[in-house]
């Protein structure tokens, strides 16, 4: 079965408009008929009873249609409204005027409304009702039919059907387009929802990564601070060399060399100071870079302040961040070397005195083994 042009909600709204309009027209008709009857207008007394019955029937019908619609019987309400309109159209005037078509055009109202409220083909059904009533009235009143009136109504019915059918097709297409648009909108919302969830998940993961990175950075910073503090606290000069550039120097190394940390880490080491390696023709840098030897060596050099320094140094090559780097550990042995030199000088002075004294001098160890005799002893032997 062909569907109505309008859906449920639109038919209900249109029915409300029709009921309100019909109630206003009926009330105005009743008021006008009563006014004419009261002022004793010609023919008003004759027509008033019929008009009063029609108006009261219309009011009762309108109330009945409204109640049916109010309780959910929309189709029954529409059917009752159309029947009521047909009944009013059939009794609105004398049969002669209806058959001639002068008052029959009232039948156009149910014909047009049926094509909209029911379906487009319902216009032909109510046109048939109109023809049946017209023929019945003509037979009953023994009056001739007006074929032109019937033909004119048929043409108007066809026009109503075409209009409703055209409207129906366009509304159907619009409904399909609306459904497709709604489906697209729903799909888009679902896609946006999924993308939003994915973005939220990614954002949470990124926040976790950032938080983890921050924690790692804090740990690295704390570790670096602790390592720097430890390296600066030890009594060993430590530095790293990449090529000829110093990449790190601790506090003790700065004290030994007399250079600041910034000077050591921004200057080519080979240009800082020539350093003489004890008992070796190799340069300090060659020793540190492992080109000569890797064992512990003692170095004598003059620092930036002009002070002579002695250090015990050890250099080894290791891989730091993918780059071969020389790591050097230096112990300041200046005081020890100065003490050894002073001791050697004292020993030399003692031996000099012992060899030139007039008394014989014999030295033994704990087991009374002779360890030294001066030249005077040989004079006695």
């Amino acid at each position: 079965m062909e569907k109505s042009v309008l859906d449920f909600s639109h038919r209900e709204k249109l029915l409300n408009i029709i009921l309100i309009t019909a109630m206003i027209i009926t009330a105005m008709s009743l008021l006008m008929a009563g006014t004419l009857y009261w002022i004793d207008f010609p023919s008003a007394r004759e027509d008033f009873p019929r008009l009063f019955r029609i108006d009261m029937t219309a009011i009762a019908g309108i109330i009945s249609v409204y109640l049916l619609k109010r309780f959910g019987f929309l189709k029954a309400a529409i059917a009752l409204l159309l029947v009521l309109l047909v009944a009013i159209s059939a009794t609105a005037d004398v049969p002669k005027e209806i058959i001639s078509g002068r008052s029959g055009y009232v039948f156009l109202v149910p014909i047009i409304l049926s094509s909209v409220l029911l379906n487009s083909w319902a216009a032909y059904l109510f046109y048939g009702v109109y023809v049946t009533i017209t023929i019945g009235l003509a037979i009953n009143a023994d009056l001739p039919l007006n074929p032109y009136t019937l033909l004119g109504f048929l043409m108007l019915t066809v026009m109503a059907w075409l209009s409703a059918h055209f409207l129906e097709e366009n509304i159907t297409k619009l409904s399909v387009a609306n459904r497709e648009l709604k489906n697209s909108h729903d799909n888009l919302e679902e896609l946006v929802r999924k993308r939003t969830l994915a973005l939220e998940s990614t954002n949470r993961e990124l926040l976790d990564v950032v938080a983890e990175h921050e924690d790692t950075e804090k740990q690295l910073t704390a570790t670096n601070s602790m390592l720097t503090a430890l390296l600066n606290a030890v009594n060993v000069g430590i530095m790293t060399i990449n090529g000829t550039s110093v990449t790190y120097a601790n506090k003790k190394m700065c004290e030994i060399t007399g250079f600041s940390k910034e000077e050591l880490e921004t200057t080519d080491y080979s240009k800082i100071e020539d350093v003489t390696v004890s008992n070796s023709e190799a340069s300090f840098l060659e020793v540190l870079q492992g080109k000569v030897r890797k064992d512990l060596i003692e170095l004598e050099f003059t620092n930036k302040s002009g002070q002579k320094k002695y250090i015990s140094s050890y250099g080894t090559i290791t891989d730091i961040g993918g780059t071969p780097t020389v790591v050097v550990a230096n112990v300041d042995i200046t005081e020890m070397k100065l003490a050894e030199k002073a001791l050697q000088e004292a020993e030399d002075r003692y031996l000099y005195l012992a060899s030139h004294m007039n008394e014989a001098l014999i030295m033994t160890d704990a087991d009374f083994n002779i360890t030294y005799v001066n030249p005077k002893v040989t004079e006695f032997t």
Side-chain angles (χ1 to χ4, degrees):
M1 182 178 179
E2 193 173 349
K3 294 183 179 179
S4 170
V5 173
L6 304 174
D7 58 17
F8 183 88
S9 61
H10 288 102
R11 280 186 288 172
E12 186 175 17
K13 291 178 181 178
L14 180 58
L15 185 59
N16 289 334
I17 294 172
I18 293 172
L19 291 177
I20 294 172
T21 304
M23 181 62 77
I24 293 173
I25 293 174
T26 302
M28 291 178 64
S29 174
L30 186 60
L31 179 62
M32 185 178 295
T35 302
L36 293 175
Y37 180 80
W38 181 69
I39 64 175
D40 198 16
F41 191 79
S43 72
R45 290 187 177 275
E46 180 182 349
D47 294 334
F48 180 76
R50 179 172 56 83
L51 293 174
F52 181 78
R53 287 194 301 271
I54 293 174
D55 290 338
M56 294 307 296
T57 303
I59 292 173
I62 290 170
I63 295 173
S64 300
V65 170
Y66 172 77
L67 291 175
L68 286 173
K69 180 192 72 66
R70 180 68 176 80
F71 290 103
F73 301 101
L74 181 61
K75 291 183 178 180
I78 292 173
L80 178 59
L81 174 64
L82 295 173
V83 170
L84 181 63
L85 290 174
V86 169
I88 293 174
S89 300
T91 59
D93 207 345
V94 295
K96 179 180 178 180
E97 301 298 336
I98 295 174
I99 295 170
S100 64
R102 190 173 72 87
S103 301
Y105 284 99
V106 182
F107 276 99
L108 286 175
V109 176
I111 291 174
I112 294 173
L113 289 180
S114 64
S115 66
V116 176
L117 293 175
L118 295 176
N119 59 62
S120 59
W121 292 99
Y124 293 108
L125 173 63
F126 280 87
Y127 172 74
V129 172
Y130 160 71
V131 173
T132 302
I133 291 175
T134 302
I135 293 174
L137 290 175
I139 295 173
N140 186 54
D142 194 19
L143 295 172
L145 287 173
N146 187 349
Y148 298 105
T149 302
L150 298 179
L151 182 61
F153 264 82
L154 178 60
M155 292 177 64
L156 292 174
T157 300
V158 172
M159 291 176 63
W161 170 76
L162 287 174
S163 299
H165 187 69
F166 177 77
L167 181 62
E168 188 176 78
E169 288 184 347
N170 283 275
I171 289 180
T172 301
K173 292 178 181 179
L174 182 61
S175 299
V176 172
N178 285 335
R179 283 195 299 272
E180 293 177 352
L181 182 61
K182 185 178 183 303
N183 291 335
S184 299
H185 180 266
D186 293 341
N187 293 334
L188 182 60
E189 282 191 341
E190 180 65 18
L191 180 61
V192 170
R193 187 185 67 82
K194 291 181 178 179
R195 291 292 177 86
T196 302
L197 292 176
L199 287 175
E200 289 177 351
S201 177
T202 304
N203 187 50
R204 285 194 296 270
E205 292 176 0
L206 287 175
L207 290 176
D208 292 339
V209 170
V210 170
E212 183 178 353
H213 176 73
E214 289 178 349
D215 291 339
T216 303
E217 188 175 357
K218 289 178 181 178
Q219 293 175 4
L220 288 175
T221 302
T223 302
N224 185 57
S225 300
M226 181 177 66
L227 181 59
T228 301
L230 289 174
L231 291 175
N232 287 327
V234 296
N235 197 32
V236 177
I238 299 173
M239 67 178 175
T240 58
I241 303 174
N242 185 0
T244 60
S245 300
V246 177
T247 55
Y248 173 77
N250 70 343
K251 182 179 179 180
K252 187 62 180 179
M253 194 65 201
C254 296
E255 293 177 1
I256 292 173
T257 62
F259 290 94
S260 67
K261 182 177 178 66
E262 290 74 17
E263 288 174 329
L264 282 176
E265 294 181 356
T266 57
T267 307
D268 191 322
Y269 185 80
S270 62
K271 297 179 181 178
I272 293 178
E273 187 78 27
D274 291 333
V275 180
T276 303
V277 182
S278 301
N279 302 320
S280 174
E281 295 180 355
S283 69
F284 184 36
L285 188 59
E286 288 177 333
V287 174
L288 295 181
Q289 290 175 336
K291 294 180 180 179
V292 177
R293 59 186 181 183
K294 293 184 179 180
D295 54 339
L296 190 66
I297 60 174
E298 291 183 359
L299 306 175
E300 178 184 344
F301 69 99
T302 302
N303 67 7
K304 182 181 178 181
S305 302
Q307 297 175 333
K308 183 174 287 188
K309 289 285 186 177
Y310 298 89
I311 60 173
S312 178
S313 181
Y314 176 81
T316 184
I317 299 178
T318 187
D319 188 288
I320 299 178
T323 303
T325 304
V326 178
V327 180
V328 183
N330 303 289
V331 179
D332 189 350
I333 58 173
T334 302
E335 292 182 0
M336 184 185 72
K337 281 293 185 180
L338 293 177
E340 288 179 354
K341 186 176 180 180
L343 180 62
Q344 184 64 45
E345 291 176 351
E347 184 178 350
D348 291 342
R349 286 196 301 271
Y350 173 77
L351 290 175
Y352 176 81
L353 292 174
S355 62
H356 290 81
M357 65 187 303
N358 293 324
E359 291 82 8
L361 178 64
I362 300 174
M363 298 179 65
T364 65
D365 58 15
D367 294 326
F368 298 100
N369 296 315
I370 296 175
T371 58
Y372 173 80
V373 294
N374 68 345
K376 198 66 176 177
V377 174
T378 59
E379 293 180 5
F380 292 102
T381 58

